[in-house]
Amino acid sequence: MAHQRRSEPRPSSSGYAQDTAPSIPAPAAAPSAAPAGLDPESWSALLAPRLAQFAGVARHEHVTRAAHEMNVPQSTLSRAMVRLEQDLGVALFARKGRTVSLTPAGRAFLTSVEGALAEVERAAESVRADADPASGKVAFGFLHTMGSETVPELIRAFRADHPRVRFQLVQNYGEAMIERLRRGELDLCLTSPIPEAPDLVARRLDEQRLRLVVPDDHRLAGRRRIRLAEASDETFVTLEPGYGLRRITDDLCEAAGFRPRVAFEGEEAETLRGLVAAGLGVALLPPPAVARPGVVELTVTAPRAVREVGVAWLDGHPDTPPVAAFKRFLLSRRGHLLPG
């Protein structure tokens, strides 16, 4: 269908495809296969060719000189500028032979185009930098209880072989991290329980024993081991609903034959330990990084009180080289992820 002059301010998607095809062919594959005349290192020229062409003509105020600089045929460049004006319904240039000058509309348009091209350039360089095998970025989420010891040690060990890889770290509870995975804000996350969802891939890495934490003056404080059913009359302090550890606590208590009486719901395991030390209840918690005074931690013999910890990522989501390397590293730590 022949290109027609339109007065509408925006071109249709089909019109745009028709206009761009004759002037700048799409690259065959990677940036190295960019069309003749487009510097592969100039991402604005590769991603927004007609705007880059407009900026070139505006800078030179001469179609032939601009075509020579961009290494495209002068006729192609002339047609591209005419079609750009047709799409906009506005004259951008006043023409005198092959010499052109910007109209007031063209000058106003150029200011915005230069800003847009600069932003495209910055965005392209940013995503390329994040994907760099040696110095790229990994967006990594993990549970609060793994922030003081497990994750710092993991990153330290990984960076022994990948010293320039950067990390964007997000510390949160499991369900929140899964949502961030789905929104593309995280590449990987360490979580518990291990999620089961058709859009996710999850791998078990380790398990962590949970202990019944009681005040040091509690009636059970002299014990070393306990069946969880023996705590059925106790008041519990727990994490809020939605936290994986809360779900595990509820499930373990149900398996022991009771429903926990909850006095306080918090957002962080060490806060709960402090509340236990203050005598506000008992709690099922993973081992602390550093022993806390005022509490005694009892081994639970029945039911088996553990939480499984795994790594999850979005199914079908392509990995950049640094993400792939860190994923391999995590999977290599199966059975040795957690301290002790």
Side-chain angles (χ1 to χ4, degrees):
M1 184 173 66
H3 187 87
Q4 297 177 351
R5 182 179 298 275
R6 293 189 295 273
S7 59
E8 293 88 342
R10 292 191 204 171
S12 69
S13 58
S14 60
Y16 182 78
Q18 282 183 326
D19 291 346
T20 54
S23 55
I24 302 292
S32 58
L38 292 183
D39 182 352
E41 296 180 0
S42 175
W43 293 104
S44 59
L46 184 64
L47 300 178
R50 293 172 70 200
L51 296 183
Q53 289 172 341
F54 164 74
V57 173
R59 183 172 62 253
H60 286 282
E61 296 189 333
H62 196 282
V63 176
T64 302
R65 284 198 291 268
H68 178 73
E69 181 186 77
M70 290 183 276
N71 197 22
V72 296
Q74 179 269 325
S75 58
T76 296
L77 189 57
S78 294
R79 286 196 301 270
M81 294 304 96
V82 170
R83 288 168 178 168
L84 180 60
E85 290 177 308
Q86 289 174 343
D87 283 338
L88 293 172
V90 174
L92 301 175
F93 298 102
R95 291 168 173 81
K96 186 175 182 180
R98 289 195 173 102
T99 300
V100 296
S101 59
L102 287 170
T103 64
R107 195 162 299 283
F109 188 53
L110 177 63
T111 299
S112 296
V113 165
E114 288 177 332
L117 293 178
E119 189 60 33
V120 168
E121 195 83 34
R122 284 191 293 270
E125 290 303 326
S126 176
V127 296
R128 282 172 57 82
D130 287 347
D132 185 271
S135 61
K137 184 183 74 174
V138 179
F140 182 45
F142 54 93
L143 300 169
H144 290 94
T145 51
M146 298 182 181
S148 62
E149 189 172 357
T150 300
V151 168
E153 172 56 26
L154 284 173
I155 293 176
R156 183 202 64 78
F158 176 74
R159 294 189 71 187
D161 294 323
H162 304 81
R164 295 170 54 207
V165 168
R166 296 169 288 124
F167 281 85
Q168 176 187 338
L169 300 177
V170 174
Q171 196 171 13
N172 214 323
Y173 64 98
E175 290 186 8
M177 286 192 295
I178 296 303
E179 287 309 307
R180 295 188 73 161
L181 271 182
R182 289 183 168 127
R183 293 198 300 265
E185 297 172 7
L186 290 176
D187 299 309
L188 303 164
C189 69
L190 284 182
T191 189
S192 177
I194 299 173
E196 295 182 9
D199 60 335
L200 300 176
V201 179
R203 297 287 182 267
R204 181 186 182 279
L205 296 178
D206 213 338
E207 67 177 30
Q208 190 172 43
R209 284 195 169 274
L210 302 179
R211 300 168 178 176
L212 184 69
V213 184
V214 303
D216 61 6
D217 59 356
H218 192 272
R219 65 180 180 85
L220 298 172
R223 302 273 296 274
R224 296 183 61 187
R225 300 174 182 274
I226 188 172
R227 290 179 295 107
L228 190 56
E230 296 179 71
S232 60
D233 293 333
E234 298 294 331
T235 297
F236 279 71
V237 295
T238 70
L239 296 179
E240 295 177 351
Y243 283 70
L245 188 56
R246 170 61 180 272
R247 196 185 329 159
I248 293 170
T249 296
D250 290 345
D251 290 347
L252 287 172
C253 291
E254 182 180 355
F258 69 97
R259 183 175 180 178
R261 186 170 68 253
V262 176
F264 179 85
E265 296 175 333
E267 298 180 348
E268 208 276 322
E270 286 310 300
T271 298
L272 298 186
R273 233 180 213 96
L275 295 174
V276 171
L280 299 184
V282 302
L284 277 169
L285 296 173
V290 178
R292 185 182 189 114
V295 300
V296 174
E297 311 216 358
L298 310 179
T299 299
V300 179
T301 58
R304 188 169 182 267
V306 299
R307 67 168 178 174
E308 292 187 324
V309 177
V311 59
W313 60 89
L314 201 59
D315 190 20
H317 191 90
D319 293 331
T320 63
V323 171
F326 190 58
K327 182 188 291 183
R328 288 192 299 270
F329 170 78
L330 289 175
L331 294 175
S332 76
R333 300 290 288 250
R334 284 191 183 102
H336 305 284
L337 179 78
L338 303 171

